[in-house]
Amino acid sequence: MLAAHTMPGEEGKRNALYEVMQQVTLAGLARGGFFADAAFYGGTCLRLFYGLQRYSEDMDFTLLSANPNFCFENYFPAIIEEARLLGREVNITKKDKRNFGRVESAFLKDTTDVYNLNFQTERSLKIKIEVDTQPPLLFQTEQKLLVQPYSFMVRCMTLPCLFAGKMHALVYRQWKNRVKGRDWYDFEWYIRWNYPLSWSHLHERIVEFSGKECTQTEFIDLLHHRLSMTDIQQVKADVLPFVQNPRELDLWSNDYFLQLAQRIRWTE
């Protein structure tokens, strides 16, 4: 029986089921040799390997070096077989980015391939996978152990580089009238645990996406503007379905996050 963290109610059951299927996906990719060329990052990586106390649905991967000819489809059989061993069926399809909505495409590079994994469980469950084939570099990785559905290793971005990716998303993601509160939750988590932020990887991401140079001071100014001007109630509403303890959000205010920003520790 695969292990997954739980929270009360139907939302908790749904989130736990997502987590089990994410483990199955990683097991298939590891068995297929995917992590010789790629690394896992993003919220689901934080959840499964670093103890983040919120659920995450999507799975994000980056190649270790640019390869526009990389074919993720080569790893489909390994994922399908892993699901079959657990008595599950999975259908994998590549998404056509021409059909993306505004929100979905607002922060997606042209070099990122997107796939849907549809698992047939007690209910149909869809996991979105993004693979950046020409990624911003200057990041470090480490091997992390997962013990379900069996013991295997996954190459993950290190925490300072994961922090850099999150801060880039928090400041530069354009969501029109929507807010991704999960970015804010993760930012708080990094600060509370005193993890340093990699400036070299953050700078690489900024230049890659915007084509403009940016100093640390300029980035902090942009961050302060985002933290002070965003509707904090929208932030809370977005992240609420993914947290185990809603009382964690009671203290949240614009001023609270501005004070957190003063505690950022930088590393190269």
Side-chain angles (χ1 to χ4, degrees):
M1 183 71 177
L2 292 183
H5 301 286
T6 59
M7 62 190 289
E10 286 301 313
E11 199 73 50
K13 292 178 182 178
R14 173 181 173 276
N15 286 330
L17 187 57
Y18 260 101
E19 192 161 294
V20 170
M21 293 303 104
Q22 289 161 350
Q23 292 170 347
V24 170
T25 301
L26 289 170
L29 290 172
R31 193 189 294 272
F34 176 70
F35 295 108
D37 299 306
F40 191 25
Y41 75 103
T44 303
C45 179
L46 280 179
R47 169 73 181 176
L48 293 178
F49 292 102
Y50 297 104
L52 181 72
Q53 292 299 299
R54 75 159 176 88
Y55 287 93
S56 179
E57 296 176 350
D58 301 339
M59 304 182 75
D60 302 308
F61 300 96
T62 174
L63 297 189
L64 303 180
S65 59
N67 181 2
N69 298 316
F70 181 82
C71 184
F72 186 63
E73 286 90 337
N74 292 340
Y75 300 93
F76 286 6
I79 298 173
I80 292 168
E81 174 64 11
E82 204 63 51
R84 188 193 66 79
L85 292 173
L86 291 170
R88 308 294 190 187
E89 291 185 8
V90 58
N91 177 259
I92 309 174
T93 56
K94 186 172 183 178
K95 296 195 68 175
D96 186 344
K97 284 182 277 190
R98 291 175 300 179
N99 298 326
F100 285 1
R102 275 189 194 173
V103 170
E104 190 174 17
S105 62
F107 200 66
L108 195 63
K109 291 169 54 185
D110 290 338
T111 59
T112 300
D113 293 330
V114 183
Y115 301 84
N116 279 338
L117 276 63
N118 290 282
F119 285 92
Q120 295 304 314
T121 59
E122 291 76 7
R123 66 191 75 176
S124 181
L125 181 149
K126 182 174 71 176
I127 294 174
K128 185 173 73 173
I129 287 184
E130 296 182 7
V131 183
D132 193 343
T133 59
Q134 298 187 64
L137 301 177
L138 299 182
F139 62 84
Q140 287 76 48
T141 65
E142 59 184 339
Q143 297 288 339
K144 300 292 287 184
L145 173 67
L146 197 62
V147 297
Q148 296 287 355
Y150 52 82
S151 293
F152 61 97
M153 304 296 284
V154 173
R155 184 192 297 270
C156 299
M157 269 195 189
T158 60
L159 281 164
C161 297
L162 286 166
F163 193 1
K166 180 54 59 177
M167 294 307 291
H168 177 253
L170 194 157
V171 170
Y172 288 90
R173 197 193 302 270
Q174 300 299 319
W175 281 71
K176 305 300 180 182
N177 295 324
R178 291 181 57 189
V179 176
K180 192 163 185 180
R182 285 156 279 182
D183 290 342
W184 296 58
Y185 185 94
D186 296 356
F187 168 48
E188 179 197 40
W189 181 84
Y190 283 112
I191 296 298
R192 289 179 60 199
W193 288 97
N194 200 32
Y195 293 122
L197 169 57
S198 169
W199 171 247
S200 58
H201 185 54
L202 175 56
H203 180 262
E204 190 79 357
R205 281 186 169 271
I206 293 170
V207 173
E208 175 90 11
F209 278 83
S210 68
K212 300 177 181 178
E213 285 291 332
C214 182
T215 66
Q216 276 189 23
T217 300
E218 289 169 336
F219 177 79
I220 289 294
D221 288 342
L222 292 171
L223 174 63
H224 284 177
H225 179 76
R226 176 60 61 95
L227 296 179
S228 61
M229 300 302 293
T230 303
D231 184 336
I232 204 68
Q233 296 307 316
Q234 289 187 14
V235 173
K236 290 183 180 182
D238 175 80
V239 77
L240 190 60
F242 299 93
V243 299
Q244 294 169 280
N245 179 13
R247 294 188 63 182
E248 290 182 82
L249 312 183
D250 289 350
L251 187 62
W252 283 22
S253 68
N254 296 93
D255 182 63
Y256 172 64
F257 281 96
L258 286 167
Q259 292 199 40
L260 288 178
Q262 296 174 15
R263 297 172 177 262
I264 292 175
R265 283 201 304 122
W266 297 98
T267 184
E268 286 302 314

